[in-house]
Amino acid sequence: MRTKIAIQGIKGSFHHQVAQDYFYQNIEVDECMSFEELVTSLLSGKTDQAVMAIENSIAGPIIPNYALIDKNNLHIIGEHYLSIHQNLMALKGQKMEDIQEVHSHPMALLQCMEFLKKYPNIKLVEDKDTAETARRIQEKQLKGIAAIASKTASEMYDLEILAPEIQTIKNNMTRFVIINRENHFVPESEINRASIKFELDHKRGSLAAVLNVMSDCKLNLTKIQSLPKIETPWKYSFFVDVTFEKYEDFAKAKSLLEIMAEYFKILGEYKNTKP
């Protein structure tokens, strides 16, 4: 029985590539055109697990996705880093001077902005998915419109690459997380990364005290992001990623943070795969 995986986008997208790389075996994918749809696919039981982009080395964290994981009580059970290569593609026979519009996911457009600035007359149009844009250009034979997508997408949808590797920073990595409805059991000996959420009392030094505990417990803070609590003005939730060498160190920090924080939650404990 094939594992069913929810991905954002369609076959040929970066999410599809991650699903193939991470799971190895023959998988069945559910193509979701938004992250909300992806979460619904997982929660409904339509799929077994899901792949979700969470941050990019150029554009930064995708904050709404952290909120989606938290709000729906999903669990991060793994991660995968993918080197992103963005390519400008169009129908065969088109040239750069023929292009009037470039369509792609807003994150892809942002990653390629230095290249796109060279063509101020070209209109930039945000779309739901990189690969879906490429497929639509081929299906509707759209002339004068280019997509930014992966090389795989150009091959799958028979488009010509007009400009390869147009991302601003060549070492462009996106971190994806693997999410599940339930906490996946990973042996403590393999766990060396965790994603957590906490809320603190609004008083001086509260965040500094938490950071000191993390440092004292030998945790390496790899990311911290605050989100305002809409229902409580001037109060914030903190989403934090930490790495550690020994699970006992994290367990100690966890027990202390549960006491110090007004609210504390584990979003996932898993294996660090950062290259």
Side-chain angles (χ1 to χ4, degrees):
M1 193 175 193
R2 293 192 295 178
T3 305
K4 295 181 180 179
I5 308 298
I7 62 171
Q8 192 276 314
I10 66 173
K11 291 177 181 177
S13 66
F14 293 115
H15 277 77
H16 182 219
Q17 185 176 339
V18 170
Q20 291 180 314
D21 291 347
Y22 186 87
F23 291 98
Y24 299 112
Q25 72 264 38
N26 190 19
I27 60 171
E28 180 181 338
V29 297
D30 181 27
E31 300 171 325
C32 305
M33 296 317 296
S34 70
F35 287 113
E36 289 80 5
E37 186 182 335
L38 177 148
V39 168
T40 299
S41 174
L42 184 59
L43 289 174
S44 67
K46 184 179 180 181
T47 48
D48 303 306
Q49 298 179 50
V51 172
M52 176 184 279
I54 204 75
E55 62 179 314
N56 176 263
S57 58
I58 298 174
I62 306 173
I63 305 303
N65 286 358
Y66 279 96
L68 275 175
I69 293 170
D70 174 40
K71 177 183 176 182
N72 293 285
N73 292 314
L74 296 171
H75 300 271
I76 300 173
I77 62 170
E79 65 176 3
H80 185 82
Y81 289 81
L82 183 68
S83 183
I84 304 296
H85 303 281
Q86 302 284 17
N87 305 275
L88 188 75
M89 59 194 69
L91 291 173
K92 290 183 177 178
Q94 298 267 284
K95 294 183 173 56
M96 201 65 217
E97 52 267 31
D98 300 321
I99 303 303
Q100 300 169 11
E101 297 180 3
V102 173
H103 295 213
S104 196
H105 189 279
M107 188 70 73
L109 293 172
L110 186 62
Q111 292 168 9
C112 304
M113 203 52 69
E114 288 304 310
F115 172 84
L116 296 171
K117 283 179 182 177
K118 298 175 186 176
Y119 302 93
N121 295 327
I122 293 179
K123 182 181 178 181
L124 306 182
V125 180
E126 293 186 356
D127 218 318
K128 291 183 178 180
D129 179 59
T130 55
E132 198 277 332
T133 304
R135 181 177 68 179
R136 188 168 65 249
I137 289 173
Q138 180 57 247
E139 287 181 347
K140 296 187 176 182
Q141 290 291 293
L142 300 176
K143 293 184 177 181
I145 296 179
I148 294 176
S150 67
K151 183 180 178 182
T152 301
S154 72
E155 295 168 349
M156 190 171 288
Y157 303 113
D158 197 29
L159 297 181
E160 184 173 347
I161 293 179
L162 302 181
E165 302 280 339
I166 64 169
Q167 66 272 10
T168 300
I169 300 175
K170 298 310 172 187
N171 185 20
N172 177 17
M173 301 281 294
T174 293
R175 177 182 170 228
F176 295 79
V177 290
I178 314 303
I179 56 177
N180 203 335
R181 293 181 297 276
E182 299 176 358
N183 193 20
H184 182 72
F185 177 75
V186 179
E188 286 187 3
S189 59
E190 294 184 18
I191 296 174
N192 57 2
R193 186 177 187 123
S195 296
I196 62 176
K197 173 195 174 183
F198 56 82
E199 297 168 8
L200 301 173
D201 187 19
H202 188 59
K203 63 181 182 181
R204 186 179 64 185
S206 57
L207 179 58
V210 165
L211 297 180
N212 284 334
V213 165
M214 292 183 183
S215 177
D216 292 344
C217 292
K218 302 176 184 177
L219 306 188
N220 179 32
L221 183 71
T222 59
K223 185 181 57 57
I224 181 169
Q225 185 70 46
S226 63
L227 274 181
K229 291 189 67 179
I230 298 174
E231 67 278 11
T232 312
W234 311 118
K235 200 154 192 175
Y236 295 84
S237 298
F238 294 91
F239 291 87
V240 171
D241 283 349
V242 292
T243 59
F244 40 87
E245 292 184 6
K246 297 179 180 179
Y247 185 83
E248 305 89 79
D249 292 331
F250 174 65
K252 180 181 178 182
K254 186 165 53 172
S255 62
L256 292 170
L257 294 177
E258 286 174 340
I259 297 171
M260 297 173 66
E262 289 191 337
Y263 177 83
F264 180 81
K265 182 179 183 180
I266 302 290
L267 300 178
E269 299 176 3
Y270 48 101
K271 187 174 181 179
N272 179 22
T273 63
K274 186 174 182 179

